[in-house]
Amino acid sequence: MSKKIGVLVMSYGTPASLDDVEAYYTHIRRGNPPAPEQLKELKDRYEAIVGGVFPLRENTDNQVQGMQDMLNEHTKDSELEFVCYQGLKHAFPFIEDGVEQMAADGITEAVGIVLAPHYSTMSVASYIKRAKETAEKHNLPISFIESYHLHPKLIETLSNRVNAKLELFEETGATREQVRVLFSAHSLPERILTMGDPYRDQLMETSKAIAERANVPSWQFTWQSAGRTAEPWLGPDVLDTMQELAKEQVKYVLVAPIGFVSDHLEVLYDLDIEAQELATEIDMRLMRIDSLNTDPLYMEVLADEVIRKYKEVYA
């Protein structure tokens, strides 16, 4: 009989339908519902990318299943069976639900991982805190992977994606030297810099590793999808960066949103719609790399990290 090992797979979450958008954003806003005009704008964004159907949630579901399949492929000759439980920050099943389900299923050893390669006190740390608090209530041992931003297979698959799009630019007549690669990630409040937070440094390390492996001649880092709050957020924003590049007569831009591991709003709307509209206005050819989604190499990254952590703590 195999021994079941629980894997808590955590991510930000997304509404399952347009009817769930208000509750979702109310949760993000700590119980404060969005104003009617804000709610309309949010729904309009979702409708613009998916026409009322939500593949965003399905993307995460597929990643969790793909990860479980890869884990059990790696351990098929052992007595271990990995069972993945989803835990979302702002939607059901919440992080607490995932932990409680593990406890109800009799899991006695567990590993937690976030579908985000880069650690921040305002993102990954908050997921881990909630999971730990719930696990302690159930006396469930759980160990966590905090980051995996330089895993060789992650750098490999992201480099492959950058190269694939640079080759497309070359097919249209642009040289690699003419294409500016913009690595990007979700912005966070600037105050993380005074907290010694590693988020920005880890993103720069990932960018540098990809640029070196893919032999990218011209690149820089930019931010995107900043929250609308009174405090300053990390910048410059990708739209501002594009405007500056236009002034420099840069005509070809490739965005590599390395802070995101699947297609969701910040990719499908902020880049594919909003940034593309600006590119048209300023006569710029803009592409982005394909998202990781269930890419086998990314599934390998997640499986490698979970197995490594399990052996480190429990074996």
Side-chain angles (χ1 to χ4, degrees):
M1 185 174 177
S2 62
K3 180 178 182 179
K4 293 189 186 316
I5 310 301
V7 182
L8 181 65
V9 187
M10 296 173 282
S11 58
Y12 196 80
T14 191
S17 70
L18 286 174
D19 291 338
D20 295 329
V21 171
E22 183 172 9
Y24 174 68
Y25 277 93
T26 298
H27 193 274
I28 291 174
R29 293 160 53 88
R30 296 181 175 86
N32 298 309
E37 59 272 17
Q38 291 175 314
L39 181 60
K40 182 182 183 305
E41 180 185 356
L42 294 168
K43 286 188 173 182
D44 287 348
R45 288 186 171 218
Y46 282 109
E47 289 184 311
I49 59 172
V50 292
V53 181
F54 273 61
L56 316 185
R57 187 63 167 267
E58 187 178 333
N59 288 337
T60 303
D61 293 343
N62 290 341
Q63 285 180 315
V64 175
Q65 184 61 53
M67 180 180 172
Q68 178 172 292
D69 293 343
M70 187 67 73
L71 279 164
N72 289 314
E73 176 64 26
H74 277 280
T75 57
K76 63 183 177 182
D77 296 325
S78 74
E79 295 182 353
L80 300 179
E81 179 187 354
F82 286 90
V83 182
C84 289
Y85 296 81
Q86 198 166 162
L88 306 178
K89 187 176 183 180
H90 292 298
F92 182 83
F94 291 101
I95 291 169
E96 294 79 4
D97 298 318
V99 176
E100 287 172 356
Q101 189 60 56
M102 282 197 291
D105 289 349
I107 297 294
T108 58
E109 295 176 349
V111 174
I113 190 168
V114 180
L115 294 177
H118 307 88
Y119 179 88
S120 172
T121 52
M122 296 188 71
S123 59
V124 172
S126 68
Y127 293 66
I128 292 174
K129 180 175 182 291
R130 284 172 57 178
K132 276 183 175 177
E133 289 173 350
T134 307
E136 286 170 1
K137 293 176 184 176
H138 295 279
N139 295 315
L140 172 62
I142 182 167
S143 297
F144 297 93
I145 294 139
E146 293 189 343
S147 67
Y148 46 92
H149 68 292
L150 287 177
H151 191 292
K153 293 174 184 174
L154 179 70
I155 302 305
E156 179 183 353
T157 189
L158 288 171
S159 299
N160 291 344
R161 280 163 160 68
V162 169
N163 268 324
K165 283 299 192 291
L166 287 176
E167 288 171 5
L168 280 182
F169 271 111
E170 290 177 308
E171 289 174 10
T172 63
T175 65
R176 288 174 77 95
E177 289 73 22
Q178 289 177 307
V179 182
R180 184 69 55 86
V181 176
L182 297 181
F183 295 107
S184 73
H186 202 299
S187 181
L188 289 176
E190 280 184 7
R191 58 187 157 93
I192 68 165
L193 300 181
T194 62
M195 298 163 56
D197 192 290
Y199 184 62
R200 183 177 66 173
D201 290 343
Q202 288 189 0
L203 284 161
M204 297 305 170
E205 289 168 2
T206 302
S207 301
K208 186 172 184 290
I210 296 167
E212 289 177 352
R213 183 180 175 104
N215 193 27
V216 175
S218 179
W219 68 275
Q220 64 193 79
F221 195 86
T222 191
W223 300 93
Q224 61 171 93
S225 314
R228 298 178 183 180
T229 63
E231 67 177 318
W233 286 55
L234 294 169
D237 181 79
V238 62
L239 300 181
D240 296 328
T241 299
M242 289 169 61
Q243 295 276 20
E244 288 302 313
L245 292 178
K247 294 176 184 176
E248 297 173 24
Q249 304 301 309
V250 174
K251 293 291 186 182
Y252 307 99
V253 172
L254 172 62
V255 183
I258 58 172
F260 304 95
V261 299
S262 66
D263 286 322
H264 44 63
L265 195 68
E266 287 80 4
V267 174
L268 299 177
Y269 185 86
D270 295 1
L271 295 179
D272 288 1
I273 294 178
E274 197 169 42
Q276 281 290 358
E277 287 176 352
L278 175 60
T280 300
E281 290 175 17
I282 60 179
D283 193 26
M284 177 180 285
R285 178 75 189 279
L286 178 73
M287 291 191 211
R288 73 161 171 90
I289 64 170
D290 295 337
S291 296
L292 292 174
N293 294 319
T294 54
D295 175 83
L297 274 176
Y298 182 51
M299 297 299 100
E300 290 268 6
V301 171
L302 298 173
D304 285 353
E305 288 293 323
V306 168
I307 292 170
R308 177 190 61 78
K309 177 59 72 172
Y310 175 77
K311 289 179 176 178
E312 175 188 305
V313 176
Y314 301 107

